[in-house]
């Protein structure tokens, strides 16, 4: 398949997401982009896992980093026996998959497949490192291709000269929606909620939109009610880190409050992504609690007095009654009828 990152903005070029080469993995540091364009070099799979934990990359970026990290683990184990090498890959798979607890189920789909591919390559006398790296590239192509299909469905809900509100950084769907709008010669304006505490909406989503030539405006997270009450917003959209089968979705913390406001002002909310076969309901969603120090500082500058506490839930859960539809590669699904998706898709090969 042709590489699917053609005409994509800087952040979504494959080599800028995560890339294995010659015993190391390079990951674009999204914590500081676009203020700086800098890469974190990982020389062990443990460093890749730590980079994922530290949010050097996030959104769909960790899925790519996971695959490339498994290629690095294969390289690290190159001098071991067949049996020990497989055990090494299995250990790496679990370490990388659990780097972010809320998405561990999706990460395991990637890392465990890498183990299978590594075993097969070794049994056939081939280089497992290159085979695992190629699988990571193939996974990128599948995800980009499928999200391009999702974008074609979503863009039909956006009128020409329409306005879209985003939350956090939806990564692949953002790039594909922008590309689809250009190809359809559709004019769209974007308002991007900044997304505290790492400002992914302001730094990442807004950067992609502006780089691709779209009118782009950033708002702080506490301006959403003002925006929806004073501007014509045609829809609110976000990706989802988890889509449970009962219609609850987990996404960057703050999504729930925007969904509540969108519902109040009559703005439809469309969630993009593929439902999770192994997440049956809200109770199966684990919310990652991060270091509260990250809330009390911005760009490394502390802005609270000593003795002040904070909390940092990385995600919140939006209930199905606030969601207009889940937009998938198979079209629009009611959040109350996601079982129908799995009747058509027995396995999830998205990752």
């Amino acid at each position: 398949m042709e590489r699917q990152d053609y005409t994509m903005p800087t952040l979504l070029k494959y080599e800028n997401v995560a890339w294995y080469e010659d015993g190391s993995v390079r990951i674009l540091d999204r914590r500081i982009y676009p203020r700086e364009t800098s890469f974190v070099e990982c020389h062990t799979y443990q460093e890749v896992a730590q980079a994922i934990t530290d949010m050097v990359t996030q959104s769909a970026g960790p899925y790519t980093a996971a695959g490339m990290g498994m290629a690095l683990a294969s390289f690290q184990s190159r001098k071991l026996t067949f049996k020990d090498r497989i055990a090494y890959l299995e250990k790496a798979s679990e370490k990388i998959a659990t780097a972010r607890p809320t998405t561990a189920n999706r990460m395991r789909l990637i890392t465990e497949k890498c183990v299978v591919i590594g075993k097969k390559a070794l049994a056939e006398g081939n280089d497992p490192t290159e085979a695992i790296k190629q699988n990571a590239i193939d996974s990128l192509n599948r995800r980009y291709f499928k999200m391009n299909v999702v974008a074609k469905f979503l863009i039909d809900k956006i009128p020409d000269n329409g306005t879209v509100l985003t939350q956090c950084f939806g990564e692949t769907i953002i790039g594909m929606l922008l590309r689809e709008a250009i190809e359809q010669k559709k004019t769209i304006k974007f308002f991007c909620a900044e997304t505290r505490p790492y400002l992914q909406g302001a730094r990442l989503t807004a950067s992609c939109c502006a780089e691709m030539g779209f009118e782009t405006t950033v708002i702080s997270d506490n301006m959403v009610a003002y925006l929806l009450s004073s501007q014509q917003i045609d829809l609110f959209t976000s990706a989802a880190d988890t889509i449970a089968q009962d219609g609850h979705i987990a996404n960057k913390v703050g999504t729930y409050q925007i969904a509540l406001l969108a519902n109040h002002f009559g703005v439809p909310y469309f969630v993009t992504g593929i439902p999770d076969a192994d997440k049956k309901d809200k109770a199966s969603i684990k919310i990652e609690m991060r270091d509260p120090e990250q809330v009390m500082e911005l760009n490394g500058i502390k802005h609270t007095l000593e003795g002040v506490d904070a909390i940092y839930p990385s995600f919140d859960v939006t209930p199905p009654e606030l969601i207009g539809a889940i937009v998938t590669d198979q079209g629009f699904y009611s959040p109350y009828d996601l079982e129908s998706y799995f009747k058509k898709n027995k396995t999830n090969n998205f990752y």
Side-chain angles (χ1 to χ4, degrees), residues 10 24 51 145 196 212 219 227 237 249 305 320 324-325 331:
T10 301
S24 68
F145 181 82
R196 282 281 289 131
M212 297 283 277
I219 61 169
L227 177 73
T237 188
I249 71 103
L305 286 174

Side-chain angles (χ1 to χ4, degrees), residues 149-343:
V149 174
V150 173
K152 290 179 185 294
F153 286 119
L154 180 61
I155 202 167
D156 284 344
K157 298 297 182 182
I158 307 171
D160 193 25
N161 294 306
T163 304
V164 173
L165 172 63
T166 67
Q167 160 68 340
C168 199
F169 180 46
E171 183 132 347
T172 323
I173 185 58
I174 291 296
M176 297 305 163
L177 183 63
L178 297 172
R179 186 167 73 188
E180 191 62 28
I182 291 171
E183 291 180 355
Q184 292 191 20
K185 296 181 171 58
K186 208 168 197 177
T187 300
I188 302 174
K189 294 185 292 185
F190 288 90
F191 281 90
C192 305
E194 65 176 353
T195 323
R196 282 281 289 131
Y198 268 136
L199 308 181
Q200 295 102 310
R203 293 184 302 95
L204 308 181
T205 303
S207 293
C208 288
C209 294
E211 185 178 334
M212 297 283 277
F214 292 83
E215 183 178 332
T216 307
T217 304
V218 169
I219 61 169
S220 65
D221 292 355
N222 58 357
M223 295 180 186
V224 175
Y226 172 82
L227 177 73
L228 295 178
S229 65
S230 64
Q231 301 278 334
Q232 174 59 46
I233 305 297
D234 293 292
L235 65 83
F236 165 48
T237 188
S238 79
D241 293 86
T242 284
I243 302 174
Q245 290 187 45
D246 68 350
H248 286 82
I249 71 103
N251 195 50
K252 180 67 181 180
V253 66
T255 304
Y256 184 16
Q257 66 190 25
I258 300 177
L260 283 164
L261 287 164
N263 181 261
H264 176 78
F265 287 105
V267 175
Y269 173 33
F270 293 105
V271 175
T272 57
I274 308 301
D276 290 278
D278 57 348
K279 293 287 180 74
K280 300 299 182 184
D281 52 32
K282 178 183 177 181
S284 64
I285 299 173
K286 181 178 180 179
I287 299 298
E288 175 188 1
M289 300 300 294
R290 295 187 62 81
D291 182 357
E293 286 290 331
Q294 295 170 350
V295 175
M296 296 186 284
E297 63 179 37
L298 184 63
N299 294 329
I301 299 173
K302 187 77 175 285
H303 52 75
T304 59
L305 286 174
E306 291 301 323
V308 174
D309 294 325
I311 62 168
Y312 181 6
S314 193
F315 306 94
D316 58 22
V317 177
T318 301
E321 62 264 26
L322 298 177
I323 299 169
I326 307 293
V327 192
T328 75
D329 58 320
Q330 302 294 320
F332 294 85
Y333 283 82
S334 164
Y336 295 104
D337 188 33
L338 293 179
E339 288 185 2
S340 296
Y341 179 86
F342 292 102
K343 290 177 181 177

Side-chain angles (χ1 to χ4, degrees), residues 67-82:
M68 295 297 176
M70 288 299 294
L72 178 53
S74 174
F75 175 81
Q76 289 176 257
S77 65
R78 64 194 181 281
K79 296 181 180 180
L80 300 178
T81 64
F82 180 96

